[in-house]
Amino acid sequence: MTASARESHAAVGRRFPAGFHWGVATSAYQIEGAWDEDGKGASIWDTYAHTPGNIENDDTGDVANDHYHRYEEDVGLLESLGATAYRFSIAWPRVFPEGAGKPNSKGLDFYSRLVDELLAAGIEPFATLYHWDLPQTLQDRYGGWQSAETSKAFAEYAGYVAERLGDRVKHYFTINEFRSFVEGGYQVVDVKVGGKTIQLGGAPGLRLSDSELKQVRHHAVLGHGLGVQAIRAVAPAGTKVGFAENIRVAVPAIDAPEYVEAAEKATRERNAGFMTVMLEGRYTDEYLAEAGGGSPTFTDEELKTIAAPLDFVGINVYRPGWYVEPSDEPPGYSEIPISASHPKMQSSWHVFDPEVMYWAPRQMQSIWGAESIFITENGCAAADVVAGDGRVYDSDRVMFMRACLGQLQRATSEGVPVDGYFLWSAQDNFEWVDGYGTRFGIVYVDFDTLERTPKLSADWFRHAAMQNAVV
Ligand code: PNW
C-alpha cells in the first residue's frame, strides 16, 4: 500500500466531524496529592481513605501523582498525546476549605496556573466542579448531600470559580457521575457480573434506606441546577455548561425497531432520578410510585431549577447497563441476563461491549433530543507492566479504545451530534476503592518514582487525534 493509500484508508468512512475534540480526563483527588497544602481543607475522600480497611492496600490520595507540583510536566505530556482538550476537576476544599464562606485564594491560584499552562499549549480546558471530594465540613455540618444546604453551598462555590476562571475557561461540567457517588457513598451499588454480584462503595460510606437515598439524589440534581444558574449569572456570554453523568444504558439485544424502542423506555425509566429529571424537569410516575422507595420531598420551583437549560450533555460510558428485549407486559421491556462467560475488561464491574458507545449517544438524541453531546469518560483498566525494553504494551486497552471509538464514529456518521471524546484517563492514578493497583491511564506512572511513561495506547490516541479518525 502506498503512503497516500494508507492515509486515505482512514478517510474512508472512519473520520469524525471537523472540530471534534480529542480529550483526556482526570480528577483532582485521583492525581493531585498535596492533600493538606496551601490552605486546602479536608475532603470526605481524605477522611475515607485515611480510615484503614476502606481502600485496597490502605492506599490514599495524599501524594497520588503529585500533579499539584508536576502540572507543568503533565501539560507537556498532554501536548505529546495530541490532546486538544483536557477535562480536569477542581477540588472544592482547596477553594473553600470550609465548604462555603471564606475562599482560599491559593487554592484557586493553582487552577488558574494550570489553565494558563493548558492554553499556552493549545489545549482547551474543560473544568468539572464536583468529582466527589466534598469538603468534610459540609459532611459534618449537614450530612453532605442529605441536605439542600450542600446544594446551595455548591452553587456558591460554582459561581465563585466561574467568576475567577470565566475569562479563560469556556466549558464547565457541574457534577461528575451523580449515580456513582450518591448510590456508592450513601448506600452501596450492586453490579451483576458473570452470575456474581459485586458491591461498590465510597465516601462518605453511609448505608441509607431507599427513601433516604431518593432525597440525596434530589439534592444532588438540585445542586447541579443551582450550579448552572450560578455559573450563568457571572460567566461571560458563550460560556457552556452541562453535567457529566454515568448514564446507565439499556442496549437493545437486536437492532430492530421494537427492541430499540424497548431499550429507550428502559434507559429513560432507569435513569429517572438523575438524567431523566435533569432533562425533563419531572420525576416519572413510576419513579415516584416505586414500591418501598418512598418519594423525595420537592417543589415545582426546584424541578424547574434542576432542569435548567444546558449547552451540552456529558456522559461517561464504560459498559452496557442492561440488555433488553420488548415485552407485552408493562413496562414494555424485559431485561436479559448477562451470560457468565460474557467478555469483560480488568475491573470487576467492567462488562465489555463497545456497542454501548453507539447506543448511549444515540439515545441521548432519540430520547431527549440532545443537540451537543460529549463523551466525558471512556476507558478501561489493564494489567500493565513495563517490558524489558521500557515500553508498556497495553494491547487490550488499544483493542478497547479502537472498538469503542469505532462505535462512536458510527454514531457521528449517522448524524448523532457528538462534539468530543475524553479518554479516562490521562495517567494511571488513584482508583476509588481499588487504589494504585488498578491502572486506567494511557500514560504509565511508577508510584515509587512518579516517573511517567506513555503506553502503546498513548501512541494509538495520538494517531487517532491527528487523523481525527479511528485508526
Ligand atoms: C468513573 N461502573 O467511575 C469515575 O468518574 C472515575 O473517577 C473513575 O476513576 C473511573 O470511572 C474508573 O472507575 C465509575 O460500575 C465507577 O460502571 C463505576 C462504573 C463506571 C465508572
Side-chain angles (χ1 to χ4, degrees):
M1 215 192 254
T2 64
S4 65
R6 271 201 299 275
E7 200 171 81
S8 63
H9 180 70
V12 183
R14 307 210 82 192
R15 282 196 192 273
F16 287 88
F20 190 79
H21 291 78
W22 285 89
V24 290
T26 60
S27 89
Y29 185 76
Q30 294 177 274
I31 62 164
E32 283 177 2
W35 78 280
D36 62 352
E37 254 181 76
D38 289 341
K40 175 179 168 293
S43 82
I44 57 170
W45 270 95
D46 292 315
T47 308
Y48 192 75
H50 288 163
T51 309
N54 279 342
I55 311 292
E56 196 69 34
N57 199 32
D58 286 340
D59 286 343
T60 74
D62 290 4
V63 177
N65 299 23
D66 196 31
H67 169 75
Y68 191 76
H69 299 114
R70 297 171 194 239
Y71 71 93
E72 289 167 318
E73 176 191 349
D74 286 342
V75 172
L77 273 167
L78 296 176
E79 216 178 342
S80 73
L81 294 173
T84 59
Y86 178 52
R87 174 175 176 243
F88 62 97
S89 85
I90 294 175
W92 182 350
R94 276 198 203 286
V95 182
F96 286 98
E98 302 284 316
K102 195 172 172 309
N104 166 39
S105 64
K106 281 191 171 170
L108 200 94
D109 283 352
F110 167 67
Y111 298 104
S112 184
R113 293 195 301 276
L114 172 65
V115 164
D116 287 342
E117 197 74 19
L118 288 165
L119 292 173
I123 299 168
E124 181 86 36
F126 286 67
T128 304
L129 293 163
Y130 186 70
H131 203 121
W132 311 352
D133 42 358
L134 186 77
Q136 181 64 45
T137 44
L138 296 180
Q139 192 65 44
D140 298 341
R141 206 172 301 156
Y142 305 122
W145 295 97
Q146 286 177 269
S147 164
E149 291 304 317
T150 293
S151 323
K152 290 181 206 155
F154 174 72
E156 184 186 327
Y157 150 69
Y160 178 79
V161 171
E163 204 179 299
R164 297 305 169 100
L165 299 182
D167 56 335
R168 288 158 294 155
V169 177
K170 302 297 172 204
H171 296 84
Y172 296 90
F173 301 109
T174 51
I175 292 183
N176 178 68
E177 292 200 356
F178 299 78
R179 180 187 293 280
S180 300
F181 82 87
V182 170
E183 319 277 310
Y186 290 82
Q187 203 176 54
V188 90
V189 187
D190 288 330
V191 187
K192 285 187 220 148
V193 188
K196 287 182 294 190
T197 300
I198 292 158
Q199 297 206 313
L200 304 178
L206 302 181
R207 294 290 174 269
L208 303 186
S209 69
D210 288 350
S211 57
E212 288 170 318
L213 196 68
K214 273 196 170 150
Q215 200 60 46
V216 178
R217 287 186 195 126
H218 180 72
H219 294 144
V221 290
L222 179 61
H224 155 79
L226 291 169
V228 172
Q229 291 177 344
I231 294 168
R232 296 231 191 275
V234 297
T239 303
K240 297 189 172 180
V241 193
F243 51 66
E245 170 56 340
N246 180 5
I247 185 181
R248 289 209 61 195
V249 179
V251 172
I254 299 173
D255 189 352
E258 62 277 24
Y259 285 75
V260 170
E261 197 188 317
E264 287 174 357
K265 268 188 206 151
T267 297
R268 178 173 173 269
E269 193 52 58
R270 293 185 173 194
N271 289 279
F274 301 114
M275 188 72 86
T276 309
V277 71
M278 289 191 284
L279 295 178
E280 298 185 13
R282 60 181 294 265
Y283 289 113
T284 65
D285 296 341
E286 292 79 357
Y287 181 72
L288 294 178
E290 230 167 50
S295 157
T297 306
F298 60 87
T299 65
D300 287 346
E301 190 60 33
E302 286 174 349
L303 288 180
K304 235 193 251 161
T305 302
I306 289 167
L310 302 176
D311 302 292
F312 54 75
V313 291
I315 46 176
N316 294 2
V317 181
Y318 285 89
R319 63 179 168 105
W322 314 271
Y323 291 100
V324 298
E325 57 185 13
S327 162
D328 292 336
E329 305 290 317
Y333 60 84
S334 56
E335 189 183 330
I336 298 166
I338 293 181
S339 157
S341 59
H342 193 104
K344 57 183 284 293
M345 305 309 294
Q346 195 195 27
S347 300
S348 57
W349 47 264
H350 205 164
V351 172
F352 175 53
D353 186 348
E355 289 253 336
V356 70
M357 194 53 110
Y358 169 74
W359 292 105
R362 182 173 147 170
Q363 290 182 353
M364 294 308 299
Q365 182 187 38
S366 62
I367 304 174
W368 293 296
E371 289 173 4
S372 172
I373 301 166
F374 284 96
I375 305 300
T376 30
E377 285 180 29
N378 167 249
C380 68
D384 303 318
V385 287
V386 182
D389 62 3
R391 296 182 61 195
V392 180
Y393 297 103
D394 51 345
S395 60
D396 49 349
R397 182 175 291 106
V398 170
M399 171 202 74
F400 181 88
M401 289 163 63
R402 181 187 270 149
C404 289
L405 280 153
Q407 292 295 327
L408 189 63
Q409 194 275 337
R410 175 183 164 209
T412 57
S413 71
E414 290 179 13
V416 178
V418 182
D419 292 322
Y421 169 88
F422 292 88
L423 185 281
W424 184 273
S425 182
Q427 331 184 323
D428 293 337
N429 53 46
F430 172 92
E431 173 65 356
W432 313 104
V433 184
D434 293 340
Y436 296 103
T438 296
R439 298 176 174 277
F440 270 89
I442 56 175
V443 171
Y444 184 92
V445 178
D446 178 325
F447 286 103
D448 292 324
T449 62
L450 295 177
E451 192 189 339
R452 281 101 156 119
T453 308
K455 305 176 190 177
L456 180 65
S457 53
D459 293 337
W460 191 90
F461 183 92
R462 187 176 56 252
H463 279 275
M466 240 161 45
Q467 297 198 41
N468 195 29
V470 185
V471 292

